[in-house]
Amino acid sequence: MRRPAFYSRSPRTPPPAAEQAADQADAAASPDAAGAGGIVQPPTAPAQAGWQPGRKSFALLLVLCAALVTGGTVWWPRQGKAITQKDIDAAVLRTMQTATLPSPAAKAADIIRPSVVRVVGYGPEKATPEAKTQKRGRNMAKGKPPEAPLDGTAPGEVERGVGTGVVIVDKGVILTNLHVVAGSEKIKVTFADGLEAVAVITGVQPENDLAVLQAQKIPDDLIPAAMRSTADLRPGDQVAAVGFPFGIGPSVSAGVVSGLKRSFRSPEGKQELGNLIQFDAAANPGNSGGPLINMDGEVLGIVTAILNPTQQRTFIGIGFAVPIENAASAAGSPPF
């Protein structure tokens, strides 16, 4: 039988795969391809031709993989290099040489500062000629009429004492010295954020020259000071005094503990205080009632007196503070 002609859809010569498919179709159409029952088996569909990489493509792929592996081997150890103690020491040394770090006293002052308040006691003005002259001079210096009342005071009312206090409870409980507020008809405290509020005395401990105040108004974010037992305090330990010497502040002075369990008698000889912390951080009138702190910003005591055998009553290197154990007991809540 004559083999039928194969017509290509393309004028080009069919590829080998197309020729093989045509041969299979011819074989299937021939009588020899029929089975015993005369049934012609359908031709097997040719497999679709796909991309088959040649030797050159395969070699190129191998070269590319080798390049990636080699480059990763060179790059990876540099990225994953272990940091040694020598590297750490060098980095720390470089930082210490190039960066200015705050002193321990500066860091301690930053911690305690939100808890420190200025305390002012007001009382009736003394009607002596000297007092009137001083008042006129202060008012004229401020550009006010000579007989005008002082700022924050009622007519005939003057500052009787200026000192410092420290907040120990976030509800506005403040520790200060009794001699700062004694005899005052009105007490005002100024918080770290500038808020000024009237305060009242809620407790006293005369034997330790301590007073407890309750502010009538407090800041929303008032932070109380942390207190630290003095049981392990030793001479030579670093301390700082924070307060308002001569009304200026808050001011910070640093020093060390000079001694423990000291005694102090007031210049008038009216009272003697015992079990005091002696320190050499500068303190002056106005520091009274302020905190004596360690380098963690924790309150160790309440500054209460300075020793000066002259009439100047300024600091010559010896200050005293009531231990915080006694001070906190004045508020009715011993912390230790």
Side-chain angles (χ1 to χ4, degrees):
M1 180 177 178
R2 185 178 178 180
R3 177 178 297 180
F6 177 80
Y7 295 94
S8 172
R9 295 182 182 179
S10 171
R12 295 174 298 179
T13 303
E19 293 179 354
Q20 183 179 0
D23 292 341
Q24 291 177 354
D26 291 343
S30 64
D32 297 337
I39 300 176
V40 178
Q41 298 295 330
T44 303
Q48 292 184 349
W51 180 80
Q52 297 180 358
R55 294 182 178 180
K56 293 183 178 180
S57 300
F58 187 72
L60 181 61
L61 182 61
L62 288 178
V63 171
L64 180 60
C65 292
L68 290 176
V69 171
T70 304
T73 303
V74 174
W75 174 81
W76 180 258
R78 294 180 182 177
Q79 297 297 318
K81 180 182 178 181
I83 298 177
T84 65
Q85 185 62 43
K86 184 178 180 180
D87 296 331
I88 297 175
D89 294 342
V92 172
L93 181 60
R94 188 180 307 109
T95 301
M96 295 178 63
Q97 292 174 343
T98 58
T100 302
L101 301 178
S103 68
K107 292 188 291 185
D110 286 341
I111 295 172
I112 193 64
R113 190 172 288 115
S115 307
V116 178
V117 300
R118 185 174 187 264
V119 181
V120 180
Y122 297 94
E125 181 180 10
K126 296 180 181 179
T128 62
E130 181 181 0
K132 291 182 179 180
T133 301
Q134 291 176 351
K135 176 184 175 182
R136 292 192 186 98
R138 289 194 297 268
N139 285 336
M140 292 178 67
K142 296 179 180 180
K144 296 182 177 181
E147 300 301 326
L150 300 177
D151 293 339
T153 64
E157 196 175 61
V158 296
E159 292 183 0
R160 296 291 299 273
V162 179
T164 309
V166 58
V167 178
I168 61 170
V169 180
D170 60 2
K171 295 181 179 180
V173 178
I174 300 168
L175 277 176
T176 188
N177 278 150
L178 180 57
H179 74 260
V180 172
V181 296
S184 299
E185 294 183 352
K186 181 188 292 184
I187 302 170
K188 289 185 178 181
V189 296
T190 304
F191 292 93
D193 66 349
L195 176 67
E196 188 178 82
V198 174
V200 296
I201 300 175
T202 58
V204 295
Q205 196 178 77
E207 65 273 21
N208 287 314
D209 189 27
L210 293 170
V212 183
L213 308 179
Q214 174 63 61
Q216 301 300 293
K217 183 170 57 175
I218 62 174
D220 294 334
D221 55 350
L222 183 59
I223 301 175
M227 295 176 283
R228 172 67 180 268
S229 171
T230 62
D232 58 351
L233 192 63
R234 296 292 182 269
D237 286 346
Q238 291 182 303
V239 291
V242 183
F244 292 85
F246 300 107
I248 303 171
S251 300
V252 181
S253 58
V256 298
V257 174
S258 303
L260 302 170
K261 300 185 182 303
R262 302 297 199 223
S263 297
F264 171 78
R265 182 178 294 275
S266 64
E268 297 81 9
K270 297 180 179 179
Q271 185 180 12
E272 182 174 352
L273 304 176
N275 190 33
L276 300 175
I277 302 170
Q278 179 187 340
F279 61 90
D280 69 353
N284 284 288
N287 275 108
S288 295
L292 182 72
I293 60 175
N294 60 16
M295 295 300 98
D296 292 323
E298 300 167 325
V299 182
L300 299 171
I302 301 297
V303 177
T304 190
I306 57 176
L307 179 63
N308 190 332
T310 70
Q311 296 298 319
Q312 302 301 319
R313 295 191 179 183
T314 55
F315 186 70
I316 61 171
I318 300 178
F320 299 102
V322 178
I324 192 59
E325 287 87 347
N326 296 352
S329 67
S333 57
F336 314 109

